Amino acid sequence: MAELRRILFVDNENTVLRELETGLAAMRGQWQMEFISDARAALQRLDEERFDALIADPCLSGKDGASLLAEAAQRHPPLVRIVLAGPSERSAALDALAVAHQVLAKPCDPAELRATIGRALALRKFLGGDTPLKALVSRLDSLPSMPALYRRIVEELQSAHASFESVAAIIGQDPPMAAKILQLVNSAYFTRAQHVSDLSQALRMLGLDTIKALVLSLQVFSQFDAETLAGLSVERIWRHSVRTGALARAIARAERAPREVENDAFTAALLHDVGKLILAANLPNIYAKIGPLCDAEALEPCAAERRLFGAAHAETGAYLLGLWGLPESIVEAVAYHHHPRDREPAGICALTWVHAANALAQLPDATVGVLDAEYLGALDLLERLPAWAALGEAMPD
């Protein structure tokens, strides 16, 4: 029988705890749950027993939620940390965001909460073994936090009054971000015949999903300091990511993929290499050994990463995006973009377009084996490769 996952819930209000216990009753066969109303008692329980996840209110007596999560992160790095915040707790929730993997609105639908916790716990399959990375990926000071501007845009898009103008107004409150968005919109990647200087017009031309993905990727990349990345070029990875994103979207569109799949492929492609930044930022001395190891033993970079860290950049980036609650299709596309046959079940999806675009975007510098011809052949897509390559050749350098 599989070992039960241990989940600790902390909230000041006993009524809320009882509602959680009732709403999650169906999970008793999979989770061992405890419900506590005191932050100090919660820390004591975390020290006494190994828990997999901590779900906390941001406003607690004796110790606020952010302090509880910060101390829990320091003492127990692998712990998944989620905040459940009510409408009046927005300020406290923002404070807790720096030490939480995800923030959910309270009251939270039990099905959504079950799915969120379950997804976060399932992501640990990428972190098997006792490696430095296993502790690294769950330490918030080692991972980028969910970008606040992106979260605000997502919240706005979920509201009844969302519009191009309202989203443009949110982005406009961050002038550097607005400038970067307009710069990208006017770049050759988006092949616009006329210059666009108005943010609302840019949103209408590209669509809200594209703009949302650009904001997320730009903010994620901005959280890394190039001076601490063991010689890794953030700018070079960013240029490759934008090129891959534009190509993944173009391939998906050429193959008449559903719009949702096209958008997921674009987002995943923009973020597919974020794991490299995480590894280089947190373990620069080890990351610097990847190139020499590849040269000495003729290894591909992913194999060298697994040798040194226990996991490669693909699954590391996927773990982060999964903790943030991005759709499973995006998480999978990032996790398997180098080895798509590892995904089960096989089938055409966002991963297909990201894998092809990543390989084609690296030509003519790609190493042998970057493109999985057997995978594409099994999907009856191999004959489409020349057409996709032509799309890549039309992309700017």
Side-chain angles (χ1 to χ4, degrees):
M1 182 176 178
E3 182 182 358
L4 295 180
R5 299 287 192 166
R6 298 178 66 90
I7 319 292
L8 181 61
F9 296 86
V10 189
D11 196 292
N12 274 339
E13 300 182 29
N14 288 320
T15 301
V16 172
L17 293 175
R18 286 195 295 270
E19 290 175 352
L20 287 170
E21 188 171 5
T22 300
L24 297 172
M27 300 304 296
R28 287 175 182 157
Q30 303 175 42
W31 297 349
Q32 183 173 334
M33 296 173 282
E34 294 188 28
F35 302 85
I36 295 178
S37 60
D38 180 78
R40 291 191 179 89
L43 277 175
Q44 183 177 342
R45 286 297 296 137
L46 289 172
D47 290 338
E48 292 171 347
E49 302 283 351
R50 182 194 63 78
F51 283 85
D52 297 289
L54 170 64
I55 321 298
D57 187 278
C59 299
L60 299 169
S61 60
K63 183 186 289 289
D64 64 81
S67 298
L68 168 63
L69 290 167
E71 197 161 343
Q74 184 177 13
R75 297 186 190 182
H76 310 285
L79 187 70
V80 171
R81 302 178 297 280
I82 298 174
V83 167
L84 271 181
S88 63
E89 300 171 327
R90 182 178 180 84
S91 177
L94 290 176
D95 291 339
L97 187 59
V99 284
H101 292 121
Q102 199 169 344
V103 176
L104 298 177
K106 188 171 60 176
C108 184
D109 178 69
E112 179 184 359
L113 183 57
R114 288 198 301 268
T116 298
I117 298 173
R119 183 169 55 243
L121 295 177
L123 286 167
R124 295 189 182 280
K125 68 183 179 181
F126 296 129
L127 301 172
D130 185 14
T131 70
L133 185 59
K134 185 171 185 179
L136 168 68
V137 293
S138 291
R139 292 177 54 191
L140 200 75
D141 59 354
S142 300
L143 286 172
S145 58
M146 166 67 86
L149 179 61
Y150 174 78
R151 181 177 293 280
R152 289 180 61 196
I153 291 173
V154 171
E155 290 176 350
E156 176 65 21
L157 292 176
Q158 292 173 341
S159 69
H161 54 76
S163 66
F164 290 107
E165 289 72 21
S166 63
V167 174
I170 292 173
I171 298 175
Q173 294 174 18
D174 186 337
M177 176 60 66
K180 290 177 181 177
I181 291 294
L182 288 173
Q183 181 183 21
L184 279 170
V185 170
N186 286 293
S187 73
Y189 287 111
F190 298 98
T191 59
R192 296 300 169 188
Q194 62 186 43
H195 181 77
V196 180
S197 58
D198 178 74
L199 207 51
S200 295
Q201 182 186 5
L203 267 63
R204 291 180 184 279
M205 293 177 71
L206 291 187
L208 291 172
D209 286 314
T210 297
I211 295 296
K212 183 175 68 172
L214 288 174
V215 167
L216 175 59
S217 56
L218 280 165
Q219 286 207 297
V220 168
F221 274 76
S222 70
Q223 295 186 47
F224 292 94
D225 181 2
E227 295 182 359
T228 65
L229 291 180
L232 196 65
S233 170
V234 178
E235 179 61 27
R236 182 177 180 181
I237 293 178
W238 168 247
R239 288 199 305 269
H240 168 68
S241 298
V242 173
R243 179 181 174 85
T244 303
L247 183 53
R249 187 175 64 168
I251 294 173
R253 189 169 294 175
E255 298 303 321
R256 303 185 184 279
R259 177 60 63 87
E260 183 179 358
V261 174
E262 178 186 319
N263 290 331
D264 286 350
F266 179 67
T267 302
L270 285 176
L271 297 166
H272 74 285
D273 275 345
V274 69
K276 291 182 178 179
L277 302 177
I278 295 172
L279 294 174
N282 287 282
L283 294 172
N285 293 333
I286 300 177
Y287 193 87
K289 299 177 182 178
I290 290 176
L293 181 59
C294 290
D295 295 338
E297 300 190 24
L299 294 175
E300 61 177 22
C302 286
E305 288 170 351
R306 291 193 177 92
R307 174 87 64 85
L308 294 169
F309 297 107
H313 70 273
E315 47 262 44
T316 305
Y319 185 87
L320 171 69
L321 301 180
L323 286 180
W324 284 355
L326 267 68
E328 184 176 357
S329 56
I330 294 175
V331 174
E332 284 189 342
V334 172
Y336 301 117
H337 72 268
H338 279 294
H339 302 285
R341 276 181 286 168
D342 289 347
R343 177 190 179 268
E344 296 180 358
I348 297 174
C349 57
L351 166 64
T352 309
W353 317 128
V354 174
H355 171 69
N358 176 56
L360 293 171
Q362 298 180 59
L363 295 176
D365 300 322
T367 57
V368 175
V370 169
L371 185 71
D372 191 335
E374 185 175 340
Y375 166 76
L376 294 177
L379 298 176
D380 295 325
L381 291 172
L382 200 54
E383 64 180 19
R384 297 292 299 148
L385 199 55
W388 300 348
L391 290 173
E393 291 169 1
M395 293 283 172
D397 293 329

